[in-house]
């Protein structure tokens, strides 16, 4: 099995060490990040020490829909476009002809947002493609790194898992509300 650094390298992401002092990214990151807002600066620094720091250039794909991945990212700086392929019979025929499939924008996320968390937890293929809009710095946790965090700092590790679960529950709630609205229109 490849190490996290090898996986990131294979994905075309440049690893430049670990995040070290996550609190040094400023109070806005800690206050505005749904994932970090309940962490103290000292706890955030423990999280940072467990993360690899990656950089992506504008236009660079950071996560590709359909690929395997057991890691997630916390966007520290920059903006990321999250898109999903729109699949249909016509799209399949176009893909065979070499045409690019149609995509839909799911979100545009900025510093403090987490991406890739679903696949990190369930080992299923990536749900969407995440592309850097401008220069991006992100911290990356793999499943193994989170296990080490839980072993070495159980309070911080448990708090992280609770926050990831809360974020995913909120996304599911938002998606369910959108679905209900669409069904009511019919």
């Amino acid at each position: 099995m490849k190490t996290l650094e090898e996986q990131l390298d294979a994905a075309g992401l440049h690893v430049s060490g670990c995040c070290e002092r996550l609190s040094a990214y400023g109070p806005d990151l800690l206050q505005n990040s749904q994932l970090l807002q309940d962490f103290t600066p000292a706890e955030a620094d423990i999280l940072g020490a467990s993360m690899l720091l990656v950089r992506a250039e504008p236009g660079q794909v950071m996560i590709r829909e359909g690929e395997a991945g057991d890691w997630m990212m916390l966007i520290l700086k920059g903006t990321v476009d999250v898109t999903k392929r729109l699949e249909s019979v016509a799209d399949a025929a176009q893909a065979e002809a070499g045409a690019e499939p149609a995509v839909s924008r799911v979100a545009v996320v900025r510093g403090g947002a987490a991406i890739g968390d679903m696949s990190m937890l369930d080992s299923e293929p990536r749900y969407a493609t995440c592309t850097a809009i401008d220069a991006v710095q992100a911290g990356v946790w793999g499943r193994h790194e989170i296990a080490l965090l839980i072993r070495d700092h159980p309070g911080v590790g448990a708090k992280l898992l609770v926050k990831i679960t809360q974020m995913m529950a909120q996304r599911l709630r938002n998606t369910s509300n959108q679905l209900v609205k669409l069904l009511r229109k019919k």
Side-chain angles (χ1 to χ4, degrees):
M1 183 172 174
K2 290 182 179 180
T3 66
L4 177 57
E5 196 161 348
E6 290 169 336
Q7 291 177 54
L8 295 170
D9 188 51
L13 295 166
H14 174 70
V15 177
S16 56
C18 77
C19 289
E20 295 289 333
R21 294 199 29 181
L22 205 51
S23 64
Y25 280 86
D28 287 347
L29 180 66
L30 297 182
Q31 292 169 1
N32 297 332
S33 171
Q34 186 179 2
L35 185 65
L36 298 177
Q37 64 189 0
D38 294 333
F39 287 90
T40 66
E43 290 171 329
D45 289 343
I46 291 169
L47 292 175
S50 68
M51 304 167 81
L52 291 177
L53 179 63
V54 297
R55 300 178 194 283
E57 298 302 319
Q60 182 176 357
V61 172
M62 301 170 67
I63 291 176
R64 189 173 309 279
E65 181 179 348
E67 289 185 353
D70 66 349
W71 45 271
M72 65 176 280
M73 294 181 168
L74 173 66
I75 307 302
L76 303 173
K77 292 182 181 178
T79 310
V80 177
D81 193 17
V82 182
T83 58
K84 176 93 178 120
R85 284 191 308 259
L86 299 176
E87 310 254 351
S88 71
V89 175
D91 291 336
Q94 289 175 350
E96 286 180 21
E100 289 292 318
V103 297
S104 176
R105 174 173 280 152
V106 175
V108 172
V109 297
R110 291 174 174 74
I115 56 176
D117 44 284
M118 290 191 311
S119 293
M120 191 265 308
L121 290 175
D122 69 8
S123 300
E124 291 293 317
R126 301 292 188 176
Y127 174 78
T129 295
C130 300
T131 307
I133 293 175
D134 51 19
V136 171
Q137 289 182 23
V140 180
W141 283 294
R143 192 176 300 136
H144 176 72
E145 288 70 25
I146 290 179
L148 293 176
L149 178 66
I150 292 168
R151 182 194 71 193
D152 297 339
H153 303 278
V156 174
K159 195 173 185 178
L160 176 64
L161 288 180
V162 167
K163 291 304 291 182
I164 291 170
T165 304
Q166 288 173 338
M167 284 182 352
M168 291 176 67
Q170 186 61 50
R171 285 187 206 142
L172 178 58
R173 190 177 310 279
N174 292 344
T175 300
S176 296
N177 287 337
Q178 290 174 348
L179 180 59
V180 167
K181 285 178 185 177
L182 285 172
L183 290 174
R184 283 185 182 152
K185 287 182 181 179
K186 289 187 173 192

